[in-house]
């Protein structure tokens, strides 16, 4: 689930996996395109590779719009998954 917490700030929570990431993709991409965005991931309870794909797309949209996407509160499981896929720079941006 995607929650707007303040202007330029949002959080992801719950399970971010293949079943749920599709519903989050468009709203997250829209936020990333509007301006710099700080995304808090500390509310994520479980994540799979679809969560990484979601974050990659958010980074792509943000960069294409000339904005910065920063991540905070990256759960250990998501960090391990990013390491497995050699995507540490994606997860460490903003930490």
């Amino acid at each position: 689930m995607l929650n707007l917490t303040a202007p330029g700030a949002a959080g992801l929570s719950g399970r971010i996996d293949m079943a749920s990431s599709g519903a989050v993709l468009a709203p997250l991409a829209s936020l990333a395109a509007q301006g710099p965005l700080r995304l808090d991931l500390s509310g994520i309870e479980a994540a799979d590779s679809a969560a990484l794909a979601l974050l990659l797309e958010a980074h792509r949209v943000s960069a294409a719009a000339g904005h910065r996407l920063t991540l905070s509160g990256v759960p250990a499981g998501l960090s391990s998954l990013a390491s497995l896929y050699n995507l540490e720079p994606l997860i460490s941006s903003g930490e």
Side-chain angles (χ1 to χ4, degrees), residues 15-77:
R15 293 184 65 85
I16 307 297
D17 56 20
M18 290 195 54
S20 65
S21 62
V24 177
L25 178 60
L28 180 57
S30 177
L31 281 175
Q34 290 175 21
L37 178 63
R38 181 150 185 89
L39 188 60
D40 179 8
L41 306 180
S42 63
I44 294 177
E45 298 166 7
D48 65 12
S49 59
L52 289 178
L54 182 70
L55 294 174
L56 282 169
E57 179 62 9
H59 269 288
R60 186 194 67 75
V61 168
S62 185
H67 304 300
R68 180 173 168 87
L69 173 67
T70 54
L71 306 177
S72 65
V74 179

Side-chain angles (χ1 to χ4, degrees), residues 76-90:
L78 189 57
S79 183
S80 294
L81 192 58
S83 179
L84 177 68
Y85 290 110
N86 199 28
L87 293 173
E88 294 93 345
L90 168 74

